[in-house]
Amino acid sequence: MQETSVGLIGFGSIGRAIIDSWSRAPIRNHRIQAVLVRSHQVEDAKDALGKGVVVTTDIFEFLCVRPCLVIEAAGHTAVTQHAADVLKAGAKFVILSAGALANDPFREDILALAARSGGQIVIPVGAIAGIDGLLALRRLGLSHVRYTSTKPPVSWRGTVAEQQFDLDSLTKPTTIFRGNAAEAAHFFPKNANLAATVAVAGLGFRDTEVELVADPSAPGNSGRIEASGAGSRLEVTVAGEQSASNPKTSSITGLSVLSYLENETNCLSLR
């Protein structure tokens, strides 16, 4: 079987987790050939990846290796900055920062570009269970979808929640946001990517209800999907440890990409 050439955008906490896990258990028939990093990450990335992998800060040098598949692990800005170039190159773009797709004109533009160029946009779903059931309910006729994300207060530091709540003084579970998935993606771009994934699989960004909760007793991050329609109901909760280097995300987030690569399942394909 021909080897699949892989590029990785991002060398922060999630990007490093992907590289570390890949080093321990390489993905069969796949090879990382290039990593796009920020300027201050170049030397660390070269040390971690060794010879034979292009480490660069330039998207065009990155794409010169002709990756068949590009993994984004660098945030909303990376998606909006690089999606067009990746798709024009005909590559499959695997997006972890799904909240970037809440921007309707941007989403429509890159979907149209993917259709013209032969590229593809994929969202791994291994970090949240229940997406398959949600997709099935959507075919039957969804009437309501609600996603609740509960995390310790430290996870909400550096967000707009700090302007409204004294996160360090909370003594009980506190709702810090209630609105739709589009609003959650806008106000909490680093915390609401799973909410965005649920929105893509279900009723869309405007009609997916989202509640974000700071809970001082929470041992980690959890996400709960509640959906109903056509006489059926779906309720599923996934809980996991926070990433040691980034409490805003779960440790399983990066691994969901590797699960997708190993099995070519556990993903949403946008066309």
Side-chain angles (χ1 to χ4, degrees):
M1 181 180 293
Q2 186 174 0
E3 193 173 58
T4 298
S5 170
V6 178
L8 172 66
I9 297 177
F11 198 67
S13 58
I14 296 177
R16 287 172 181 264
I18 291 171
I19 294 298
D20 289 346
S21 181
W22 193 304
S23 298
R24 292 192 297 271
I27 307 300
R28 186 168 58 91
N29 298 323
H30 291 73
R31 183 161 65 92
I32 295 179
Q33 290 193 310
V35 179
L36 185 68
V37 302
R38 295 186 173 95
S39 57
H40 69 277
Q41 298 170 330
V42 170
E43 294 306 318
D44 284 347
K46 286 182 177 179
D47 289 342
L49 292 158
K51 296 180 179 179
V53 178
V54 173
V55 176
T56 180
T57 61
D58 182 80
I59 184 63
F60 299 107
E61 183 180 359
F62 172 82
L63 292 173
C64 277
V65 306
R66 299 184 181 277
C68 299
L69 181 150
V70 174
I71 301 166
E72 172 277 315
H76 290 200
T77 300
V79 177
T80 56
Q81 284 183 341
H82 303 309
D85 291 321
V86 170
L87 294 171
K88 286 177 183 176
K92 184 179 294 186
F93 196 24
V94 182
I95 296 175
L96 283 173
S97 304
L101 301 176
N103 183 309
D104 293 337
F106 170 72
R107 183 177 68 253
E108 292 168 4
D109 285 348
I110 62 170
L111 285 175
L113 177 57
R116 294 194 304 270
S117 65
Q120 185 180 1
I121 301 167
V122 170
I123 304 174
V125 299
I128 181 71
I131 295 298
D132 52 349
L134 191 58
L135 289 168
L137 276 180
R138 187 174 72 178
R139 292 187 67 86
L140 291 171
L142 273 172
S143 58
H144 177 259
V145 178
R146 180 184 186 84
Y147 177 75
T148 303
S149 175
T150 301
K151 301 179 181 182
V154 66
S155 299
W156 305 107
R157 289 178 183 167
T159 72
V160 295
E162 281 192 317
Q163 301 169 16
Q164 303 171 7
F165 302 90
D166 184 352
L167 297 174
D168 293 331
S169 299
L170 297 181
T171 58
K172 60 182 180 180
T174 301
T175 296
I176 59 170
F177 171 85
R178 187 181 284 115
N180 65 35
E183 294 165 334
H186 175 72
F187 290 111
F188 297 87
K190 296 182 179 180
N191 294 79
N193 286 309
L194 290 182
T197 301
V198 171
V200 171
L203 289 176
F205 285 91
R206 308 297 168 183
D207 294 321
T208 299
E209 297 179 11
V210 175
E211 183 174 1
L212 305 179
V213 179
D215 183 356
S217 65
N221 301 343
S222 69
R224 179 176 178 81
I225 301 173
E226 301 167 89
S228 59
S232 299
R233 290 182 57 82
L234 170 71
E235 294 185 9
V236 61
T237 300
V238 176
E241 295 180 354
Q242 299 168 298
S243 167
S245 56
N246 181 7
K248 289 180 171 58
T249 190
S250 298
S251 57
I252 197 174
T253 299
L255 302 183
S256 69
V257 178
L258 304 184
S259 174
Y260 158 67
L261 295 181
E262 286 180 325
N263 302 293
E264 295 187 355
T265 57
N266 297 327
C267 70
L268 286 170
S269 180
L270 280 68
R271 297 183 184 277

